[in-house]
Amino acid sequence: MSKRFWWGIVSSLAALWLFVTLTPILMPFFVGMILAYLGDPLADRLEARGLSRRLAVSVVFVLLSVVVIGLTIIVIPVMWRQLVQLADAVPMMINWTQQTVLPRIQEWTGSDFTADLNQVRDMVTGHWKETGSVAAQLLAQLSRSGLALAFWLGNLAIIPVVTFYLLLDWDRMKARIRDAIPRDWVGTVTGLAHECDEVLSAFMRGQLLVMLGLGVVYATGLTLLGVKFGFLIGVLAGLASIVPYLGVIFGVVLAELVAFFQFQALWPLAAVGGVFVLGQILESTVFQPLLLGDRIGLHPVIVIFSVMAGGQLFGFVGVLLALPVAAMLMVVLRYLFTQYKASRMYTSKTSVYIDQD
């Protein structure tokens, strides 16, 4: 093999080592990179309409800031409040099940599940109290440790700075990377990069917008029906929709359970089901055709495995990078498979099987 190949291997291993070593400080840079990638197409469109690059980036940056600040001020406090209320309601739901449902099950089947339900209740209550205790200890530790608090706030403050400068120099960085590629690799690398961008666009722009649309539909519908924790359930179902059908399954099960305990009637259950049916109709007829089109995505199993593997290997940074890396790997693997099918190894008809008889 050529020296260039071995230099590539060594460089890749060195980059991986550096990434693992610097993981604790990389989070704000990767968040800024993702935000810059999401905002670059809009900046390019504004620039094509006659705005300077700096002005176009400033407009996009303001829009991103408004979205993030709006989510922080409006959405997150509401979700947290409803999450606390839901956690407080779980023991009551279990008590109602124990007093109303279990006697009928025992009457019909002769089986007593009271002990099992008590274990479930103790486990849920214990874990919630433990979670609250850990959160309280973490906040207390942060408040006592000025250095840790300053580091955390500094990471948050770095994100908008990184986002702005990456957006400003995004096109120039791509041009410089292209100029650094060996000339005989330019065509192949550029083609692979274009395919990667198509897949990344589908999952980091199109899919995020689909998730947002579904979350709005679910949260609005459940809230209008008066379902408790409807906003929280709708938003979580929208976020879970990154995996096909997972969001609607999760949302229907949780919303139907809450509606059943809240209303004790059949018509709210049917109405809740109607909200999720409407969401699925809008997803298949409006959201996906407009936002995703015919772009190739990732298989749901690959999505689940990538997120879990990224979190296990690199923590929160790994979760952020899981889908982009998986998308690029799938593009490279498809290219390598195509090359393999065109090679003599695949097309050769020479048999290597030896009959032992």
Side-chain angles (χ1 to χ4, degrees):
M1 296 183 181
S2 64
K3 291 183 178 180
R4 187 167 59 181
F5 173 81
W6 288 112
W7 273 114
I9 295 295
V10 172
S11 300
S12 300
L13 292 176
L16 180 61
W17 174 82
L18 188 63
F19 175 81
V20 173
T21 304
L22 298 178
T23 294
I25 66 169
L26 292 180
M27 186 273 292
F29 298 95
F30 284 119
V31 173
M33 185 182 300
I34 291 172
L35 292 175
Y37 178 78
L38 294 174
D40 180 63
L42 180 56
D44 289 341
R45 292 182 183 180
L46 294 175
E47 194 175 5
R49 292 179 176 272
L51 275 67
S52 66
R53 181 67 184 183
R54 184 172 293 273
L55 181 57
V57 168
S58 299
V59 172
V60 174
F61 184 78
V62 169
L63 292 176
L64 287 174
S65 301
V66 169
V67 171
V68 172
I69 294 173
L71 290 175
T72 304
I73 295 177
I74 300 174
V75 177
I76 294 179
V78 174
M79 290 184 62
W80 177 254
R81 185 166 58 250
Q82 292 198 356
L83 181 61
V84 173
Q85 295 172 353
L86 177 61
D88 292 337
V90 168
M92 292 186 292
M93 294 180 182
I94 295 178
N95 288 335
W96 182 89
T97 302
Q98 188 173 15
Q99 297 171 5
T100 305
V101 178
L102 289 188
R104 296 184 181 180
I105 294 178
Q106 185 175 5
E107 180 182 349
W108 294 338
T109 65
S111 301
D112 186 7
F113 296 99
T114 303
D116 296 330
L117 192 62
N118 286 333
Q119 291 180 359
V120 172
R121 179 177 56 189
D122 294 340
M123 181 181 66
V124 171
T125 305
H127 279 303
W128 178 251
K129 290 180 179 179
E130 181 181 350
T131 302
S133 175
V134 170
Q137 293 176 8
L138 178 61
L139 291 176
Q141 181 65 27
L142 284 176
S143 63
R144 289 194 300 269
S145 175
L147 182 61
L149 181 60
F151 180 77
W152 185 73
L153 293 176
N155 278 341
L156 290 180
I158 289 173
I159 292 175
V161 177
V162 172
T163 302
F164 181 83
Y165 282 106
L166 285 179
L167 260 176
L168 191 62
D169 295 329
W170 194 265
D171 293 335
R172 278 181 285 185
M173 287 190 301
K174 290 195 299 184
R176 289 174 182 174
I177 292 174
R178 179 184 173 89
D179 290 339
I181 300 172
R183 294 299 89 188
D184 53 341
W185 292 3
V186 169
T188 300
V189 173
T190 302
L192 290 175
H194 179 73
E195 291 186 41
C196 288
D197 183 65
E198 287 292 317
V199 178
L200 289 177
S201 296
F203 268 88
M204 296 184 65
R205 295 191 190 108
Q207 189 63 40
L208 285 176
L209 291 174
V210 170
M211 291 161 54
L212 176 62
L214 289 175
V216 170
V217 172
Y218 295 152
T220 303
L222 295 176
T223 302
L224 291 177
L225 290 176
V227 177
K228 290 183 177 180
F229 325 117
F231 184 84
L232 173 66
I233 296 172
V235 171
L236 293 179
L239 294 175
S241 297
I242 191 172
V243 179
Y245 305 112
L246 178 62
V248 66
I249 294 174
F250 166 82
V252 164
V253 172
L254 188 56
E256 294 284 14
L257 284 174
V258 171
F260 175 76
F261 283 103
Q262 178 181 352
F263 297 107
Q264 301 289 313
L266 292 178
W267 71 263
L269 302 182
V272 167
V275 169
F276 286 92
V277 169
L278 175 62
Q280 290 301 292
I281 293 174
L282 290 175
E283 180 183 12
S284 60
T285 61
V286 179
F287 297 152
Q288 287 194 356
L290 290 179
L291 301 174
L292 291 178
D294 296 327
R295 284 172 291 185
I296 300 174
L298 296 176
H299 192 278
V301 175
I302 296 178
V303 173
I304 297 173
F305 177 80
S306 301
V307 173
M308 294 181 64
Q312 179 67 28
L313 293 174
F314 305 111
F316 182 68
V317 173
V319 173
L320 289 177
L321 294 179
L323 292 182
V325 171
M328 290 186 287
L329 284 177
M330 290 302 297
V331 170
V332 173
L333 289 175
R334 281 196 294 267
Y335 169 77
L336 293 177
F337 184 70
T338 302
Q339 294 296 108
Y340 159 71
K341 294 195 71 173
S343 67
R344 291 181 57 84
M345 182 183 296
Y346 180 79
T347 58
S348 176
K349 297 182 180 180
T350 303
S351 175
V352 296
Y353 176 74
I354 300 177
D355 191 352
Q356 298 296 329
D357 298 333

